[in-house]
């Protein structure tokens, strides 16, 4: 058995990955989730968690939101923590700007999840062709879905996502990294 360990900023990432991974991972790869309580908690504790991980045949993937930070600086800081933990082969992926960017990359899934077919048409809007450029994707979802909540959104939208047509480049990079780790 091989193990794929995900270090995640929060629980909504776990909720989404728990839906996507059965579609992506071979049967001999077991996912594990180390969920932190935000960015600061992740940066403070991730090296320790990685250093003392005991299961053999484990590979690591770190996923964090970019938010308003510089993508290269955020990735470099996380990469340094992986090196500090003795896990230089860990893969770091950044959601530009937030997990919700992934959802904006598949408006038909959002429409189906919230039973609002009119939202599917937003996929054709120029504004959403590159959802990673939208600085506040969670706020954008709230604009169309008043009362939107992160975890509820992840649980509802993720099952409806078409994993090969997503307009979010950072989503596609995450998917491709997971596939490489799972098969390599």
């Amino acid at each position: 058995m091989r193990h794929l360990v995900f270090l995640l900023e929060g629980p909504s990432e776990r909720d989404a990955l728990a839906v996507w991974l059965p579609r992506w991972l071979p049967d001999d790869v077991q996912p594990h989730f180390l969920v932190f309580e935000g960015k600061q908690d992740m940066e403070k504790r991730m090296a320790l968690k990685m250093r003392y991980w005991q299961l053999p045949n484990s590979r690591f993937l770190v996923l964090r939101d970019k938010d308003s930070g510089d993508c290269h600086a955020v990735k470099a800081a996380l990469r340094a923590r992986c090196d500090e933990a003795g896990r230089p082969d860990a893969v770091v992926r950044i959601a530009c700007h937030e997990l919700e960017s992934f959802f904006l990359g598949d408006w038909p899934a959002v429409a189906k999840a919230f039973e609002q077919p009119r939202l599917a048409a937003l996929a054709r809007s120029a504004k959403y062709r590159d959802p990673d450029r939208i600085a506040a994707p969670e706020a954008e979802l709230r604009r169309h879905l008043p009362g939107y909540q992160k975890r509820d959104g992840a649980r509802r939208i993720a099952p409806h996502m078409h994993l090969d047509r997503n307009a979010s480049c950072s989503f596609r990079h995450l998917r491709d990294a997971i596939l490489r780790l799972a098969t390599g």
Side-chain angles (χ1 to χ4, degrees), residues 61-74:
L61 187 138
V62 179
L63 176 62
R64 203 200 103 172
D65 290 350
K66 172 183 159 315
D67 294 322
S68 60
D70 173 79
C71 187
H72 297 289
V74 169

Side-chain angles (χ1 to χ4, degrees), residues 146-168:
Y148 175 83
Q149 301 280 319
K150 286 182 85 67
R151 290 201 66 195
D152 177 61
R155 290 176 182 149
R156 289 171 73 166
I157 298 168
H160 300 289
M161 289 177 67
H162 189 287
L163 304 178
D164 296 322
R165 74 168 173 227
N166 199 293
S168 167

Side-chain angles (χ1 to χ4, degrees), residues 73-143:
V74 169
K75 193 170 187 177
L78 293 171
R79 174 96 260 128
R81 284 182 171 76
C82 294
D83 293 344
E84 170 191 331
R87 304 286 186 171
D89 59 339
V91 173
V92 176
R93 287 293 171 260
I94 307 297
C96 299
H97 287 266
E98 301 168 339
L99 175 70
E100 283 75 17
S101 299
F102 300 168
F103 304 150
L104 295 181
D106 191 344
W107 277 107
V110 175
K112 193 169 187 177
F114 288 93
E115 298 176 356
Q116 295 191 26
R118 64 177 175 75
L119 294 177
L122 293 173
R124 295 188 301 274
S125 171
K127 178 178 184 176
Y128 300 114
R129 285 193 193 124
D130 186 0
D132 293 338
R133 298 186 87 158
I134 296 171
E138 183 180 356
E140 192 66 27
L141 281 167
R142 280 198 177 112
R143 193 165 73 81

Side-chain angles (χ1 to χ4, degrees), residues 2 4 29 59-61 89 91 176-184:
R2 295 179 295 147
L4 188 49
V29 176
R59 304 197 68 191
F60 293 84
L61 187 138
D89 59 339
V91 173
D176 294 347
I178 291 170
L179 293 173
R180 276 193 306 277
L181 286 170
T183 59

